[in-house]
Each structure stands twice: as structure tokens, then as C-alpha cells.
Amino acid sequence: MESRVADAPASSTEYAPEGVRGPGFERGIGLRTAVAINMTQMCGIGPFVTIPLMIAALGGPQAVFGWVVGALLALVDGLVWAELGAAMPGAGGTYLYLREAFQYRTGRLMPFLFVWTAMFTIPLIMSTGVIGLVQYLGYLVPGMSSVVVHLVSLGVVALVLFALYRRVSKAGAISTVLWVVALVSLLIVIVASLTHFHAKLAFTYPHNAFAFGGPFWAGLGGGLLIGIYDYLGYNTTAYMAAELKDAGRVLPRSIIISVFGIMVAYLAMNIGVLGVVPWQQAAKSQSVASLVLENTWGKAAADVTTVLIVVTAFGSIFAGLLGGSRVPYNAARDGLFFRPFGRLHPRHHFPHVALLVMGLITAIGSFFTLSTVISVLLAVFVIVQAIAQVVALTVLRRRQPGLRRPYRQWLYPIPSVLALAGWIYVYKSSGRTPIIFSLVVLAAGIVAFLIWARAEREWPFGPKHIREEFA
């Protein structure tokens, strides 16, 4: 049983069509701002804590090529986002695309599962920020026991939630200041490393480094996991497409420029680190940026920079939970998720239920190692969000051939096929335990959907509501 609704935009996806002024979002974001938004989300604590992991995974200075491989996956996947976002310039990103593509066969299952998995992936990304913050704090306060580390981690999460328990206008101002600190931290490390750079350290590779079966190829799967984790955020403007000027042009360009821009920054920082610190030492460091500053400008400069990096980590957690808590809220307001998540705080008007639940998951994730959390979050991310979205592009080309597509994926379907292969490789490389966890999360999500669908009388316990909102 189906019902079709073509002219009723949902509360979370209202948008003003190109060139039309209306009650929806204002289309005021141009290309320059769009690139800045993407790059802000991409560059947080990630490179400060993952460079040692990348060097260890790929076995030497050849780790710099791990960032290139990660950028290639981000680029081809970005072209999937570009076509979907340009064709459906509303607020919601993957949520919208899965809803539009899979509504014909499975009703609202896929957008529900996206929100369900986002309830895990977004907080786990924030957990990596907590872990990174505590690692760098360990440089300033060495010798912390595991109990103290866990207590500090819980304290960080509590402090972030306290900072977010206020009106969004104040939270947004805090986020801007924290991003400036992040940019300054990155530039300091790059400049410091270049002032004491030794090419022999950075470009002397181990014997047979690139031979088949050698360190590079043996560690490529783990390196790609780390690399794509550090590029996450290249798609941020797709979630804000309802606010882009000329989304068909701005969205694809913002993704491509952001990926290349951040790749250059990561390469500069990674090469700089390797030119100052022997790779064997860098691979074992938990605060490699502080080590670089200590070896170049001295302990005082290292301490100051470490403080900035700790603030950067705090900022990445703050911004991530600020935006992430809106995902289940918007879905609940749209009638596609559990209703309690659609509640606003009675005084400060922010989604407090979603924020508290995601804060709890962030705190739990902070008790594990950085590499474990990255592997788990990517395994969960890939199975519903990444792979399903690649499929959605092809489904929509067949189901909605008349959909206006200002941008069509270059060389289709080659980028889609490469993105699909890349994500499958990432999933397989995540390891047995993360894969099992992702399957458990998926199964639990299906059960949760059935409970929700029964209560709301949605498919499979009611009619499918086919709404081709953008056709």
C-alpha cells in the first residue's frame, strides 16, 4: 500500500528554491564561505593525534602517501555527494538522499537507520577528540594513571555538555573562537618544523618500503582507515545545501577544493614532523606536535602549543556535539525518529535529549584506544551511510530520471564504482571486532525501526508514503 505526497516539504528539510525568496532557509553562502565551512570541519584534532598512527601503519616516511590515498577516496566519494546535494539542495544530506532513493521499496527504513547509526558515529568521532585531548594533556602532566586518564576524560565530556547547555547563539560564538585556535595550532607546528627541517629524515625510506608485501602495501588498509577519518567533513556543505547560493555550482566545487586544500595541509604537517623527528620515534609518540616544538623552539614553546592543541581538541568535541545533536532532533521533528529526540530544552531551546544521549556515548567511547574507536566508527559509518549513499545515486538516476541535476558526476559511474570499492576496502580493513559491532548496531537499528514503525503505523505496519520532494 502506498500514498504519494509531492508537495509537502518536511520541517527539517525546508528550503528556498534557487532564485526564490520564501519562508525556508536563506541562500546566502557562497563558494568561499562554503570551502571554509568544509575545511573547518575537516581540520580539528585529527592530524595532531593520527600522524603517529599513520607512520606506524605504513612503516616509515612513506606514510605521507597515506594522506594522498585518503584524499583520493574522499574525492571520488565527494563526487557522489556533489551530484546528490546539487540535485536535492535541502538541509539533511545523507538523510535526504536515502529517504528519496529507498522510499519506494523499504519506506522510511533507510533514513531511520542513517539517524540510528549517526547516533553512534558522531559521538565516537567526538570520543577521538577526547582521547587526543588527554594524550596531549599527558605531555603537560606526565605520569597520569589509567584511572586519572578516565576521570579526566569524563570531566572533559561533562565540561563540553556544560558549555553546550545554553542558547545556540552563544555556543556559535564559542565555536568560532575555538576554530581560530585550531588554525593557529596547525600553522605553528608546520612553521616550526620547516625552520629545522632535515630532508634526509623525511625522505629516507626503509629498504623495500614500496615492494609488494613491504611495509607500505601491508599497512595500506590501516593507513586508509586513518586517512579517511582525517578527511571526514568534506561533505559538510551537503548538509547545508539549502543555504548555498547556486548549489549546483558551489557544492561540487566546495568539496573538491576542500579535499585538495586539506591534503596540502596534512602533507605539509606530516613531512614537517618527519623532517624533525625520526620516524621510529614519531610512530611511538602520543603528542608528536609537542615533540616537534620541543625539538625546534624549546620546551616553553612546546608547552604553549600543547595548550593550544588541547583547546583545539576541546573545540572539535564542542562543535561536533553542537551540530551532531541536531541530526536526531531534525529526524524526530520530521516524523522519522523517536519523538523524545525532537524535544527542545524549555528555557534555552536546544535539543537536550539528543545532546545528553550523544554525550553519554562520547564518554563511553573515550575509554577505548584511539585506533579502536576510529576502526569502530568507520565500520558503522560505512555499512549504512557511505555504501548506501553510493547506491542511492544510481537508484535515483533510475527512479527519478527527470530530477533536475545541475551537476552530474564526472565520468559516471567510474567515481561511484571507485568510491564503493574504497569503502568496502575500508570496511574489511577495520577488523573483525569493529565489523561485528557494526552488524550488531545495524541489527539493533532494524529492531528499533520495527518498534518505531509499529507505534507510528508506518511501513511495514502501514502504508508507504512516497514523496518525491525534489522531482
Side-chain angles (χ1 to χ4, degrees):
M1 184 177 180
E2 296 182 357
S3 64
R4 285 184 174 266
V5 180
D7 56 355
S11 62
S12 66
T13 60
E14 291 179 355
Y15 69 101
E18 300 286 359
V20 176
R21 292 184 180 274
F25 290 108
E26 178 184 351
R27 293 192 175 277
I29 298 176
L31 179 59
R32 183 181 302 174
T33 304
V35 171
I37 289 171
N38 279 347
M39 294 180 73
T40 298
Q41 291 298 312
M42 294 168 76
C43 186
I45 186 61
F48 296 106
V49 295
T50 56
I51 284 179
L53 296 180
M54 182 71 85
I55 295 171
L58 296 178
Q62 63 272 17
V64 295
F65 296 101
W67 306 113
V68 177
V69 176
L72 291 175
L73 177 55
L75 182 61
V76 293
D77 188 60
L79 296 182
V80 174
W81 284 88
E83 176 168 327
L84 292 171
M88 292 172 281
T94 300
Y95 168 76
L96 277 183
Y97 315 148
L98 300 188
R99 188 192 71 190
E100 291 293 305
F102 297 106
Q103 60 184 326
Y104 305 97
R105 291 188 178 275
T106 57
R108 296 182 170 183
L109 172 63
M110 291 306 293
F112 183 96
L113 288 179
F114 161 71
V115 179
W116 178 264
T117 55
M119 290 286 295
F120 291 89
T121 56
I122 294 173
L124 288 178
I125 293 173
M126 300 310 105
S127 297
T128 64
V130 176
I131 295 168
L133 185 154
V134 176
Q135 284 183 3
Y136 274 87
L137 198 60
Y139 179 82
L140 298 172
V141 188
M144 290 190 294
S145 67
S146 59
V147 174
V148 173
V149 166
H150 292 323
L151 289 175
V152 171
S153 299
L154 293 176
V156 169
V157 176
L159 183 59
V160 170
L161 291 177
F162 173 78
L164 286 170
Y165 239 70
R166 60 199 71 248
R167 291 185 180 274
V168 70
S169 58
K170 297 179 181 178
I174 295 172
S175 181
T176 301
V177 173
L178 293 173
W179 160 238
V180 173
V181 174
L183 183 62
V184 170
S185 303
L186 183 65
L187 290 175
I188 287 175
V189 175
I190 292 174
V191 172
S193 63
L194 295 180
T195 58
H196 292 71
F197 185 77
H198 300 284
K200 186 175 181 180
L201 282 177
F203 301 113
T204 300
Y205 305 115
H207 181 64
N208 291 328
F210 295 101
F212 286 105
F216 179 80
W217 296 105
L220 183 58
L224 185 56
L225 275 169
I226 297 162
I228 196 62
Y229 158 78
D230 278 325
Y231 284 104
L232 290 179
Y234 58 86
N235 48 18
T236 303
T237 46
Y239 286 94
M240 305 174 63
E243 300 165 80
L244 300 181
K245 298 177 182 177
D246 190 8
R249 181 184 66 88
V250 169
L251 180 58
R253 294 183 182 184
S254 70
I255 291 173
I256 294 169
I257 294 172
S258 300
V259 170
F260 279 108
I262 290 296
M263 181 183 71
V264 170
Y266 286 170
L267 287 175
M269 184 173 175
N270 200 128
I271 293 172
V273 167
L274 290 169
V276 173
V277 181
W279 71 266
Q280 296 89 344
Q281 184 181 359
K284 297 177 181 179
S285 175
Q286 288 198 324
S287 50
V288 70
S290 303
L291 185 60
V292 168
L293 266 295
E294 185 176 335
N295 287 0
T296 54
W297 294 351
K299 186 66 167 60
D303 288 344
V304 171
T305 304
T306 302
V307 170
L308 294 178
I309 293 172
V310 168
V311 174
T312 296
F314 183 87
S316 69
I317 306 162
F318 179 92
L321 286 178
L322 171 65
S325 61
R326 272 62 179 172
V327 173
Y329 166 77
N330 283 336
R333 296 282 291 180
D334 200 12
L336 279 169
F337 204 61
F338 295 110
R339 293 184 182 183
F341 287 92
R343 296 174 185 168
L344 290 176
H345 189 276
R347 181 181 177 186
H348 298 303
H349 308 291
F350 64 89
H352 62 294
V353 174
L355 179 62
L356 291 174
V357 171
M358 290 181 136
L360 176 61
I361 297 173
T362 298
I364 294 171
S366 69
F367 278 63
F368 297 88
T369 65
L370 180 62
S371 58
T372 298
V373 175
I374 290 175
S375 296
V376 169
L377 77 88
L378 283 173
V380 176
F381 174 85
V382 167
I383 197 168
V384 171
Q385 299 179 42
I387 292 177
Q389 187 167 280
V390 174
V391 175
L393 187 150
T394 299
V395 169
L396 284 168
R397 283 202 172 199
R398 184 171 63 88
R399 285 283 191 174
Q400 296 186 24
L403 181 66
R404 180 177 175 269
R405 293 176 171 83
Y407 166 80
R408 297 179 72 89
Q409 187 184 88
W410 299 333
L411 303 175
Y412 174 85
I414 294 174
S416 288
V417 171
L418 291 175
L420 182 62
W423 286 123
I424 292 174
Y425 185 62
V426 166
Y427 187 66
K428 290 179 63 178
S429 300
S430 63
R432 181 179 178 182
T433 300
I435 288 175
I436 292 173
F437 181 82
S438 71
L439 294 175
V440 170
V441 169
L442 179 62
I446 293 173
V447 172
F449 170 77
L450 293 174
I451 294 171
W452 172 84
R454 182 66 180 241
E456 300 291 336
R457 296 182 180 179
E458 291 284 346
W459 178 91
F461 305 104
K464 294 176 187 174
H465 300 284
I466 307 300
R467 181 180 63 195
E468 296 177 342
E469 181 177 332
F470 298 90

